[in-house]
Amino acid sequence: MKPGIHRLDFDSYTALKAVNRSTLGFMALTPAHAKAHMEAPLKKPSKALKQGIALHAIALEGRHDHGVKLTELESQTVDGMTRAVAQNQQFQEIIRGSQVELSMVWQDKATGVWCKARPDMVRSDTHTIYDLKSCSSIPRFRSDVWLYRYHLQAAFYLMGAKAVGMDIRHFKFLAVESKPIYGTRAFSLSPGAIDLGMFQLQNLLKLYAACEANNHWPGYPSDEEEIAVPATEIGDCLEMEETQWTE
């Protein structure tokens, strides 16, 4: 596969021998996790994955032949999310003007690692990549960004867009809750979050290249780690103490 922008079905994209953002997410745990992820046999898709595939097919492409077998409860969830996306005028304006499910392939210049990405939506007029995400809670989505390393995904897609010659400057999330009330909201990442993602991404690609070159994929460190009191716990304790003295 030559570097550039391609129109591929999902199976053809999956078959490409290149690093995707999921692999780099596992690299952020340990190289051993990334190796296990790459070598793992195909597993039965999870409920969240099945619902995500169906949501993307219906909401973004208008296809109900998504090829995913859903339970009655899963179908109800997908219907609820799809209706919510359809009723959000901001989301609909973005979707109507977007190119959907493009595949990007490029070789990282610094490391020589081949990479691939498949953005949900690309808009050349707004110079933006949009990603449709289901979530358990709109207020909790902020913490989901760090829990699931969405900032790495944003940096990776922006890096890929630049590498294949696209004039893309922004990355935004369109979030929809996976349970009633199926709330929706658009999110963007701060420049600092993108910069952090880019910094971590460059280090992960260097680590991946070194592991591949040496065929060595280490796991967790062997030294003992001391667990300190997190700042949130200190704040909670101070708040409890203040409450006791003021009541």
Side-chain angles (χ1 to χ4, degrees):
M1 176 64 68
K2 294 181 179 180
I5 306 165
H6 305 276
R7 284 282 185 184
L8 301 173
D9 59 46
F10 185 72
D11 290 339
S12 298
Y13 169 78
T14 303
L16 291 175
K17 300 299 182 182
V19 172
N20 62 9
R21 65 106 175 175
S22 296
T23 301
L24 293 174
F26 282 105
M27 283 294 294
L29 290 172
T30 72
H33 283 84
K35 183 70 168 174
H37 168 69
M38 291 185 290
E39 295 181 345
L42 292 176
K43 298 183 296 183
K44 184 178 180 181
S46 65
K47 179 178 74 172
L49 179 58
K50 290 194 298 179
Q51 291 177 172
I53 292 172
L55 172 65
H56 281 69
I58 299 170
L60 301 185
E61 301 178 79
R63 294 190 300 105
H64 289 266
D65 58 333
H66 44 70
V68 179
K69 291 184 178 180
L70 301 172
T71 66
E72 183 177 350
L73 182 58
E74 289 167 351
S75 293
Q76 291 174 0
T77 299
V78 171
D79 288 345
M81 291 191 292
T82 303
R83 283 196 303 271
V85 171
Q87 291 168 2
N88 186 309
Q89 292 302 311
Q90 179 190 15
F91 284 17
Q92 286 305 299
E93 289 176 8
I94 291 169
I95 294 170
R96 280 194 295 268
S98 294
Q99 294 177 286
V100 178
E101 306 289 7
L102 296 176
S103 295
M104 303 187 298
V105 181
W106 71 98
Q107 187 175 24
D108 179 56
K109 290 183 178 180
T111 62
V113 173
W114 280 94
C115 303
K116 64 180 181 180
R118 189 176 171 88
D120 287 347
M121 293 162 278
V122 177
R123 292 246 338 216
S124 57
D125 59 338
T126 61
H127 309 283
T128 304
I129 288 175
Y130 298 91
D131 193 72
L132 180 61
K133 280 273 191 281
S134 61
C135 64
S136 60
S137 165
I138 291 296
R140 202 173 300 155
F141 188 79
R142 298 177 189 86
S143 57
D144 285 351
V145 167
W146 305 110
L147 178 63
Y148 300 115
R149 298 185 175 91
Y150 291 159
H151 68 300
L152 274 181
Q153 177 191 2
F156 188 59
Y157 284 20
L158 289 171
M159 173 187 284
K162 182 179 180 180
V164 299
M166 299 176 70
D167 184 15
I168 298 297
R169 308 167 196 171
H170 314 288
F171 185 101
K172 298 186 179 183
F173 297 102
L174 307 183
V176 55
E177 291 176 333
S178 58
K179 58 187 177 183
I181 56 167
Y182 301 108
T184 56
R185 191 170 187 185
F187 291 90
S188 58
L189 296 179
S190 71
I194 296 294
D195 289 345
L196 175 63
M198 286 291 185
F199 175 78
Q200 293 174 332
L201 183 59
Q202 289 163 357
N203 287 333
L204 289 171
L205 285 169
K206 290 177 184 176
L207 178 60
Y208 178 91
C211 290
E212 189 173 46
N214 299 311
N215 194 27
H216 178 58
W217 304 82
Y220 294 117
S222 58
D223 60 321
E224 179 181 306
E225 179 183 1
E226 181 181 68
I227 301 175
V229 180
T232 52
E233 290 295 327
I234 295 174
D236 289 344
C237 289
L238 292 174
E239 185 177 340
M240 289 175 59
E241 184 175 321
E242 183 180 345
T243 303
Q244 290 175 347
W245 286 106
T246 55
E247 285 182 347

